[in-house]
Coordinates of all heavy atoms in Angstrom, one line a residue:
M1377 N 27.2 -5.2 -7.5 CA 25.8 -4.8 -7.6 C 25.0 -5.7 -8.5 O 25.6 -6.3 -9.4 CB 25.7 -3.3 -8.1 CG 25.5 -2.4 -7.0 SD 24.6 -1.0 -7.5 CE 25.6 0.3 -7.0
G1378 N 23.7 -5.7 -8.3 CA 22.9 -6.5 -9.1 C 21.7 -5.7 -9.7 O 21.7 -4.5 -9.7
V1379 N 20.7 -6.4 -10.3 CA 19.6 -5.8 -10.9 C 18.4 -5.8 -10.0 O 18.2 -6.8 -9.2 CB 19.3 -6.5 -12.2 CG1 18.0 -5.9 -12.9 CG2 20.5 -6.4 -13.2
C1380 N 17.6 -4.8 -10.0 CA 16.4 -4.7 -9.2 C 15.5 -6.0 -9.4 O 15.3 -6.4 -10.6 CB 15.6 -3.5 -9.5 SG 14.0 -3.3 -8.6
Q1381 N 15.0 -6.6 -8.4 CA 14.2 -7.8 -8.5 C 12.7 -7.6 -8.4 O 12.0 -8.5 -8.4 CB 14.6 -8.8 -7.3 CG 16.1 -9.2 -7.4 CD 16.5 -10.0 -6.2 OE1 15.8 -10.1 -5.2 NE2 17.7 -10.6 -6.3
A1382 N 12.3 -6.3 -8.5 CA 10.8 -6.0 -8.4 C 10.1 -6.4 -9.7 O 10.6 -6.3 -10.8 CB 10.6 -4.5 -8.2
S1383 N 8.9 -6.9 -9.5 CA 8.0 -7.2 -10.6 C 7.1 -6.0 -10.8 O 6.6 -5.4 -9.9 CB 7.1 -8.4 -10.3 OG 7.9 -9.6 -10.2
L1384 N 7.0 -5.5 -12.1 CA 6.2 -4.4 -12.4 C 4.8 -4.8 -12.6 O 4.5 -6.0 -12.7 CB 6.8 -3.7 -13.6 CG 8.3 -3.2 -13.5 CD1 8.8 -2.6 -14.8 CD2 8.4 -2.2 -12.4
S1385 N 3.9 -3.8 -12.7 CA 2.5 -4.1 -12.8 C 2.1 -4.9 -14.1 O 1.1 -5.7 -14.1 CB 1.6 -2.8 -12.8 OG 2.0 -2.0 -13.9
D1386 N 2.9 -4.8 -15.1 CA 2.6 -5.6 -16.4 C 3.3 -7.0 -16.3 O 3.2 -7.7 -17.3 CB 3.1 -4.8 -17.6 CG 4.6 -4.6 -17.6 OD1 5.3 -5.0 -16.7 OD2 5.1 -4.1 -18.6
G1387 N 3.9 -7.4 -15.2 CA 4.5 -8.7 -15.1 C 6.0 -8.7 -15.4 O 6.6 -9.7 -15.2
S1388 N 6.5 -7.7 -16.0 CA 7.9 -7.7 -16.4 C 8.7 -7.3 -15.1 O 8.2 -6.9 -14.1 CB 8.2 -6.7 -17.5 OG 7.9 -5.4 -17.1
R1389 N 10.0 -7.4 -15.3 CA 11.0 -7.1 -14.2 C 11.5 -5.7 -14.4 O 11.8 -5.3 -15.6 CB 12.1 -8.1 -14.2 CG 11.8 -9.5 -13.7 CD 11.8 -9.5 -12.3 NE 11.6 -10.9 -11.8 CZ 11.4 -11.2 -10.6 NH1 11.4 -10.3 -9.7 NH2 11.2 -12.5 -10.3
C1390 N 11.8 -5.0 -13.3 CA 12.5 -3.7 -13.4 C 13.9 -4.0 -13.7 O 14.5 -4.9 -13.1 CB 12.3 -3.0 -12.1 SG 13.3 -1.5 -12.0
N1391 N 14.5 -3.4 -14.6 CA 15.9 -3.6 -15.0 C 16.9 -2.6 -14.5 O 18.1 -2.5 -14.9 CB 16.1 -3.8 -16.5 CG 15.5 -5.1 -17.0 OD1 15.6 -6.1 -16.4 ND2 14.8 -5.0 -18.1
A1392 N 16.4 -1.8 -13.6 CA 17.3 -0.7 -13.0 C 18.4 -1.4 -12.1 O 18.1 -2.5 -11.5 CB 16.5 0.3 -12.2
P1393 N 19.5 -0.7 -11.8 CA 20.5 -1.2 -10.9 C 19.9 -1.3 -9.5 O 19.2 -0.4 -9.0 CB 21.6 -0.2 -11.0 CG 21.4 0.5 -12.2 CD 19.9 0.5 -12.5
G1394 N 20.1 -2.4 -8.8 CA 19.6 -2.6 -7.4 C 20.5 -1.8 -6.5 O 21.7 -1.9 -6.6
T1395 N 19.9 -1.0 -5.6 CA 20.7 -0.2 -4.7 C 20.3 -0.4 -3.3 O 21.0 0.0 -2.4 CB 20.5 1.3 -5.0 OG1 19.1 1.6 -5.0 CG2 21.0 1.7 -6.4
D1396 N 19.1 -1.0 -3.0 CA 18.5 -1.1 -1.7 C 18.2 -2.6 -1.4 O 17.6 -3.2 -2.2 CB 17.3 -0.3 -1.5 CG 17.4 1.2 -1.8 OD1 18.6 1.6 -1.9 OD2 16.4 1.9 -1.9
V1397 N 18.6 -3.0 -0.2 CA 18.2 -4.4 0.3 C 16.9 -4.2 1.0 O 16.8 -3.4 1.9 CB 19.3 -5.0 1.1 CG1 18.9 -6.4 1.7 CG2 20.6 -5.2 0.3
D1398 N 15.9 -5.0 0.7 CA 14.6 -4.9 1.2 C 14.1 -6.2 1.8 O 14.5 -7.3 1.3 CB 13.6 -4.5 0.1 CG 12.2 -4.5 0.5 OD1 11.8 -3.7 1.4 OD2 11.4 -5.4 0.0
H1399 N 13.4 -6.2 2.9 CA 12.8 -7.4 3.5 C 11.5 -7.7 2.6 O 10.6 -6.9 2.4 CB 12.3 -7.1 4.9 CG 13.5 -7.0 5.9 ND1 14.1 -5.8 6.1 CD2 14.1 -8.0 6.6 CE1 15.1 -6.1 7.0 NE2 15.1 -7.3 7.3
I1400 N 11.4 -8.9 2.2 CA 10.3 -9.4 1.4 C 9.0 -9.4 2.3 O 8.0 -8.8 2.0 CB 10.5 -10.8 0.8 CG1 11.7 -10.7 -0.2 CG2 9.3 -11.3 0.1 CD1 12.2 -12.0 -0.7
R1401 N 9.2 -10.0 3.4 CA 8.1 -10.0 4.4 C 8.6 -9.1 5.6 O 9.7 -9.3 6.1 CB 7.9 -11.5 5.0 CG 7.3 -12.4 3.9 CD 7.3 -13.9 4.4 NE 8.5 -14.3 5.0 CZ 9.6 -14.8 4.3 NH1 9.5 -14.8 3.0 NH2 10.7 -15.2 4.9
P1402 N 7.7 -8.2 6.0 CA 8.1 -7.3 7.1 C 8.4 -8.1 8.4 O 7.9 -9.2 8.6 CB 6.8 -6.5 7.4 CG 6.0 -6.6 6.1 CD 6.4 -7.9 5.5
G1403 N 9.3 -7.5 9.2 CA 9.6 -8.2 10.5 C 11.1 -8.2 10.7 O 11.9 -7.5 10.0
N1404 N 11.5 -9.1 11.5 CA 12.9 -9.1 12.0 C 13.7 -10.3 11.4 O 14.7 -10.7 11.9 CB 13.0 -9.2 13.5 CG 14.3 -8.6 14.0 OD1 15.0 -7.9 13.3 ND2 14.6 -9.0 15.2
D1405 N 13.2 -10.9 10.3 CA 13.8 -12.0 9.6 C 14.8 -11.5 8.6 O 14.5 -11.0 7.5 CB 12.8 -12.9 8.9 CG 13.4 -14.1 8.2 OD1 14.6 -14.3 8.3 OD2 12.6 -14.8 7.5
H1406 N 16.1 -11.6 9.0 CA 17.2 -11.1 8.1 C 17.8 -12.2 7.3 O 19.0 -12.0 6.8 CB 18.2 -10.3 8.9 CG 17.6 -9.2 9.7 ND1 17.0 -8.1 9.2 CD2 17.6 -9.0 11.1 CE1 16.6 -7.3 10.1 NE2 16.9 -7.8 11.3
S1407 N 17.2 -13.3 7.2 CA 17.8 -14.4 6.4 C 17.8 -14.1 4.9 O 17.0 -13.2 4.4 CB 17.0 -15.7 6.6 OG 15.7 -15.6 6.1
M1408 N 18.7 -14.7 4.2 CA 18.8 -14.4 2.7 C 17.5 -14.7 2.0 O 17.3 -14.0 1.0 CB 20.0 -15.2 2.2 CG 21.4 -14.7 2.7 SD 21.7 -13.0 2.3 CE 22.0 -13.1 0.6
T1409 N 16.7 -15.6 2.4 CA 15.5 -16.0 1.7 C 14.4 -14.9 1.9 O 13.5 -14.9 1.2 CB 14.9 -17.3 2.2 OG1 14.7 -17.3 3.6 CG2 15.9 -18.5 1.9
N1410 N 14.6 -14.0 2.8 CA 13.7 -12.9 3.1 C 14.2 -11.5 2.6 O 13.6 -10.5 2.9 CB 13.3 -12.8 4.6 CG 12.1 -11.9 4.8 OD1 11.2 -11.9 4.0 ND2 12.2 -11.1 5.8
L1411 N 15.3 -11.5 1.9 CA 15.9 -10.3 1.4 C 15.9 -10.2 -0.1 O 16.0 -11.3 -0.8 CB 17.3 -10.1 1.9 CG 17.5 -10.1 3.4 CD1 18.9 -10.0 3.8 CD2 16.7 -8.9 4.0
Q1412 N 15.7 -9.0 -0.7 CA 15.7 -8.9 -2.1 C 16.4 -7.5 -2.4 O 16.4 -6.6 -1.6 CB 14.3 -8.9 -2.7 CG 13.4 -7.8 -2.3 CD 12.0 -7.9 -2.9 OE1 11.8 -8.7 -3.8 NE2 11.0 -7.2 -2.3
L1413 N 16.9 -7.4 -3.6 CA 17.6 -6.2 -4.1 C 16.6 -5.4 -4.9 O 16.0 -5.9 -5.9 CB 18.8 -6.6 -4.9 CG 19.8 -5.5 -5.3 CD1 20.3 -4.8 -4.0 CD2 20.9 -6.0 -6.1
L1414 N 16.4 -4.2 -4.6 CA 15.5 -3.3 -5.3 C 16.2 -2.0 -5.6 O 17.1 -1.6 -5.0 CB 14.3 -2.9 -4.4 CG 13.4 -4.1 -4.0 CD1 12.3 -3.5 -3.1 CD2 12.8 -4.8 -5.2
C1415 N 15.7 -1.3 -6.7 CA 16.2 0.0 -7.0 C 15.5 1.0 -6.0 O 14.5 0.6 -5.4 CB 15.9 0.4 -8.4 SG 14.2 0.6 -8.8
S1416 N 16.0 2.2 -5.9 CA 15.4 3.1 -4.9 C 14.0 3.4 -5.2 O 13.2 3.6 -4.3 CB 16.3 4.3 -4.8 OG 16.4 5.0 -6.0
W1417 N 13.6 3.5 -6.5 CA 12.2 3.9 -6.8 C 11.3 2.7 -6.4 O 10.3 3.0 -5.8 CB 12.1 4.1 -8.3 CG 10.7 4.6 -8.7 CD1 10.3 5.9 -8.7 CD2 9.6 3.8 -9.1 NE1 9.0 6.0 -9.1 CE2 8.5 4.7 -9.3 CE3 9.4 2.5 -9.3 CZ2 7.3 4.3 -9.8 CZ3 8.2 2.0 -9.7 CH2 7.1 2.9 -10.0
C1418 N 11.6 1.5 -6.8 CA 10.8 0.3 -6.4 C 10.7 0.2 -4.9 O 9.7 -0.2 -4.4 CB 11.3 -0.9 -7.1 SG 11.0 -1.0 -8.9
H1419 N 11.8 0.4 -4.2 CA 11.8 0.3 -2.8 C 10.9 1.3 -2.1 O 10.1 1.0 -1.2 CB 13.3 0.4 -2.2 CG 13.4 0.1 -0.8 ND1 14.2 0.8 0.1 CD2 12.9 -0.9 0.0 CE1 14.1 0.3 1.3 NE2 13.3 -0.7 1.2
R1420 N 11.0 2.5 -2.6 CA 10.1 3.6 -2.1 C 8.6 3.3 -2.3 O 7.8 3.4 -1.5 CB 10.5 4.9 -2.8 CG 9.8 6.1 -2.2 CD 10.3 7.5 -2.7 NE 10.6 7.5 -4.1 CZ 11.9 7.5 -4.6 NH1 12.9 7.4 -3.8 NH2 12.0 7.5 -5.9
Q1421 N 8.3 2.8 -3.5 CA 6.9 2.4 -3.9 C 6.4 1.3 -2.9 O 5.3 1.4 -2.4 CB 6.8 2.0 -5.3 CG 7.1 3.0 -6.3 CD 6.3 4.3 -6.2 OE1 5.1 4.2 -6.1 NE2 7.0 5.4 -6.1
K1422 N 7.2 0.3 -2.7 CA 6.8 -0.8 -1.9 C 6.7 -0.4 -0.4 O 5.7 -0.7 0.3 CB 7.9 -1.9 -1.9 CG 7.6 -3.1 -1.1 CD 8.6 -4.2 -1.3 CE 8.3 -5.5 -0.4 NZ 8.8 -5.4 0.9
T1423 N 7.6 0.4 0.1 CA 7.5 1.0 1.4 C 6.3 1.8 1.6 O 5.6 1.7 2.7 CB 8.8 1.8 1.8 OG1 9.9 0.9 1.6 CG2 8.7 2.3 3.2
Q1424 N 5.9 2.7 0.7 CA 4.7 3.5 0.8 C 3.5 2.6 0.8 O 2.5 2.9 1.6 CB 4.7 4.5 -0.3 CG 5.7 5.6 -0.2 CD 5.7 6.6 -1.4 OE1 5.1 6.3 -2.4 NE2 6.5 7.6 -1.2
A1425 N 3.4 1.6 0.0 CA 2.3 0.7 -0.1 C 2.1 0.0 1.2 O 1.0 -0.2 1.8 CB 2.4 -0.3 -1.2
E1426 N 3.2 -0.5 1.8 CA 3.1 -1.2 3.1 C 2.7 -0.3 4.2 O 1.9 -0.7 5.1 CB 4.5 -1.8 3.4 CG 4.9 -3.0 2.6 CD 6.3 -3.5 2.8 OE1 7.1 -2.8 3.4 OE2 6.6 -4.6 2.3
A1427 N 3.2 1.0 4.2 CA 2.8 1.9 5.2 C 1.3 2.3 5.1 O 0.6 2.4 6.2 CB 3.6 3.2 5.1
T1428 N 0.8 2.4 3.9 CA -0.6 2.7 3.7 C -1.5 1.5 4.2 O -2.5 1.7 4.9 CB -0.9 3.0 2.3 OG1 -0.2 4.1 1.9 CG2 -2.4 3.2 2.0
A1429 N -1.1 0.3 3.9 CA -1.8 -0.9 4.3 C -1.8 -1.0 5.8 O -2.8 -1.3 6.5 CB -1.2 -2.1 3.7
A1430 N -0.7 -0.7 6.5 CA -0.6 -0.7 8.0 C -1.5 0.3 8.6 O -2.2 0.0 9.6 CB 0.8 -0.5 8.4
R1431 N -1.6 1.5 8.0 CA -2.5 2.6 8.6 C -3.9 2.1 8.4 O -4.7 2.3 9.4 CB -2.2 3.9 7.9 CG -1.0 4.7 8.4 CD -1.0 6.1 7.9 NE -1.0 6.2 6.4 CZ 0.0 6.2 5.6 NH1 1.2 6.0 6.2 NH2 -0.1 6.3 4.3
V1432 N -4.3 1.6 7.3 CA -5.7 1.2 7.1 C -6.0 0.0 8.1 O -7.1 0.0 8.6 CB -5.9 0.7 5.6 CG1 -7.2 0.0 5.4 CG2 -5.8 1.9 4.7
A1433 N -5.1 -0.9 8.3 CA -5.4 -2.0 9.2 C -5.5 -1.6 10.6 O -6.3 -2.2 11.4 CB -4.2 -3.0 9.1
Q1434 N -4.9 -0.5 11.0 CA -5.0 0.0 12.4 C -6.2 0.9 12.6 O -6.5 1.3 13.7 CB -3.7 0.8 12.8 CG -2.5 -0.2 12.9 CD -1.2 0.6 13.2 OE1 -1.2 1.8 13.2 NE2 -0.2 -0.1 13.5
R1435 N -6.8 1.4 11.5 CA -7.9 2.3 11.6 C -9.1 1.6 12.3 O -9.5 0.5 11.9 CB -8.3 2.8 10.2 CG -9.2 4.0 10.2 CD -9.5 4.4 8.8 NE -8.2 4.9 8.2 CZ -8.0 5.1 6.9 NH1 -9.0 4.7 6.1 NH2 -6.9 5.5 6.4
P1436 N -9.6 2.2 13.4 CA -10.7 1.5 14.1 C -12.0 1.5 13.2 O -12.2 2.4 12.4 CB -11.0 2.4 15.3 CG -10.4 3.7 14.9 CD -9.3 3.5 14.0
Y1437 N -12.8 0.4 13.3 CA -14.0 0.3 12.6 C -15.0 1.2 13.1 O -15.2 1.3 14.3 CB -14.5 -1.2 12.7 CG -15.9 -1.3 12.1 CD1 -16.1 -1.3 10.8 CD2 -17.0 -1.5 12.9 CE1 -17.4 -1.4 10.2 CE2 -18.3 -1.6 12.4 CZ -18.5 -1.6 11.1 OH -19.7 -1.7 10.5
R1438 N -15.6 2.0 12.3 CA -16.7 2.9 12.7 C -17.9 2.6 11.9 O -18.0 2.9 10.7 CB -16.3 4.4 12.4 CG -15.2 4.8 13.3 CD -14.9 6.3 13.0 NE -13.7 6.7 13.8 CZ -13.3 7.9 13.8 NH1 -13.9 8.9 13.1 NH2 -12.2 8.3 14.4
P1439 N -19.0 2.1 12.5 CA -20.2 1.8 11.8 C -20.8 3.1 11.3 O -20.6 4.2 11.9 CB -21.1 1.1 12.8 CG -20.5 1.4 14.1 CD -19.1 1.7 13.9
A1440 N -21.6 3.0 10.2 CA -22.3 4.2 9.7 C -23.3 4.7 10.7 O -23.9 3.9 11.4 CB -22.9 3.8 8.4
P1441 N -23.4 6.0 10.8 CA -24.3 6.6 11.8 C -25.7 6.2 11.4 O -26.1 6.2 10.2 CB -24.1 8.1 11.7 CG -23.3 8.3 10.5 CD -22.6 7.0 10.1
T1442 N -26.6 6.0 12.4 CA -28.0 5.7 12.1 C -28.8 6.7 13.0 O -28.3 7.3 13.9 CB -28.3 4.3 12.5 OG1 -28.0 4.1 13.9 CG2 -27.5 3.3 11.6
G1443 N -30.1 6.8 12.6 CA -31.0 7.6 13.4 C -31.5 8.8 12.6 O -31.0 9.0 11.5
P1444 N -32.4 9.6 13.2 CA -32.9 10.7 12.5 C -31.8 11.7 12.2 O -30.9 12.0 12.9 CB -33.9 11.3 13.5 CG -34.0 10.4 14.7 CD -32.9 9.4 14.6
G1445 N -31.9 12.2 11.0 CA -31.0 13.3 10.5 C -29.7 12.8 10.1 O -28.8 13.6 9.8
T1446 N -29.4 11.5 10.0 CA -28.1 11.1 9.6 C -28.1 10.6 8.1 O -27.0 10.4 7.6 CB -27.7 9.9 10.5 OG1 -28.6 8.8 10.4 CG2 -27.5 10.3 11.9
R1447 N -29.2 10.4 7.5 CA -29.3 10.1 6.1 C -29.7 11.2 5.3 O -30.7 11.9 5.6 CB -30.2 8.9 5.9 CG -29.6 7.6 6.2 CD -30.5 6.4 6.0 NE -31.0 6.3 4.7 CZ -31.9 5.4 4.3 NH1 -32.4 4.6 5.2 NH2 -32.3 5.3 3.1
R1448 N -29.1 11.4 4.2 CA -29.5 12.4 3.2 C -30.5 11.8 2.3 O -30.2 10.8 1.6 CB -28.4 13.0 2.5 CG -27.5 13.8 3.3 CD -26.5 14.5 2.5 NE -25.6 15.4 3.3 CZ -24.8 16.2 2.8 NH1 -24.6 16.3 1.5 NH2 -24.0 16.9 3.6
E1449 N -31.7 12.3 2.2 CA -32.7 11.8 1.3 C -32.8 12.8 0.1 O -32.7 14.0 0.3 CB -34.0 11.6 2.0 CG -33.9 10.5 3.1 CD -35.2 10.2 3.7 OE1 -36.2 10.5 3.1 OE2 -35.2 9.7 4.8
A1450 N -33.2 12.3 -1.0 CA -33.3 13.1 -2.2 C -34.5 14.1 -1.9 O -35.5 13.7 -1.4 CB -33.6 12.2 -3.4
I1451 N -34.3 15.3 -2.4 CA -35.3 16.3 -2.3 C -36.2 16.1 -3.5 O -35.8 16.1 -4.7 CB -34.7 17.7 -2.3 CG1 -33.8 17.9 -1.1 CG2 -35.8 18.8 -2.3 CD1 -33.0 19.2 -1.1
P1452 N -37.5 15.9 -3.3 CA -38.4 15.7 -4.4 C -38.5 16.9 -5.3 O -38.4 18.0 -4.9 CB -39.8 15.4 -3.8 CG -39.7 15.7 -2.4 CD -38.2 15.9 -2.0
D1453 N -38.6 16.6 -6.6 CA -38.7 17.7 -7.6 C -40.1 18.0 -7.8 O -40.9 17.2 -8.2 CB -38.1 17.2 -8.9 CG -38.0 18.3 -10.0 OD1 -38.3 19.5 -9.6 OD2 -37.6 18.0 -11.1
V1454 N -40.5 19.2 -7.4 CA -41.9 19.6 -7.4 C -42.3 20.2 -8.8 O -43.5 20.5 -9.0 CB -42.3 20.6 -6.3 CG1 -42.1 20.0 -4.9 CG2 -41.4 21.9 -6.4
W1455 N -41.4 20.4 -9.6 CA -41.8 21.0 -10.9 C -42.0 19.9 -11.9 O -41.8 19.4 -12.8 CB -40.7 21.9 -11.4 CG -40.5 23.0 -10.4 CD1 -39.5 23.1 -9.5 CD2 -41.3 24.1 -10.2 NE1 -39.6 24.3 -8.8 CE2 -40.8 24.9 -9.2 CE3 -42.5 24.6 -10.7 CZ2 -41.3 26.1 -8.7 CZ3 -43.1 25.8 -10.3 CH2 -42.5 26.5 -9.3

């Protein structure tokens, strides 16, 4: 076994024992240059971030509605 290869947000390395082999770049490239050893926590965090990014990328673009009644305007203060 080895040590988790993930970089933390402060730039340091995670020193937990590596338990999961992860693809650095998503896809079907199983070469050693595309694999890294991560602890289960770092692997879960990376997988969740990739899944969220994929959902956002697939979300269709919806322009903001226009026309009468679609904008909320401030109600003037009469007092």
Side-chain angles (χ1 to χ4, degrees):
M1377 260 212 229
V1379 176
C1380 179
Q1381 297 174 351
S1383 294
L1384 302 176
S1385 59
D1386 64 358
S1388 64
R1389 291 276 188 187
C1390 176
N1391 288 321
T1395 56
D1396 302 348
V1397 176
D1398 174 65
H1399 288 90
I1400 297 168
R1401 293 173 309 281
N1404 204 21
D1405 178 7
H1406 304 297
S1407 65
M1408 292 300 289
T1409 58
N1410 191 40
L1411 299 176
Q1412 63 182 345
L1413 188 61
L1414 299 177
C1415 67
S1416 58
W1417 187 87
C1418 289
H1419 190 220
R1420 187 171 42 256
Q1421 298 302 310
K1422 181 177 182 269
T1423 301
Q1424 287 175 351
E1426 289 172 345
T1428 299
R1431 279 193 303 275
V1432 169
Q1434 291 177 352
R1435 195 175 295 162
Y1437 171 72
R1438 293 186 186 180
T1442 59
T1446 58
R1447 276 178 65 186
R1448 291 187 177 188
E1449 296 186 18
I1451 299 171
D1453 187 4
V1454 295
W1455 300 105

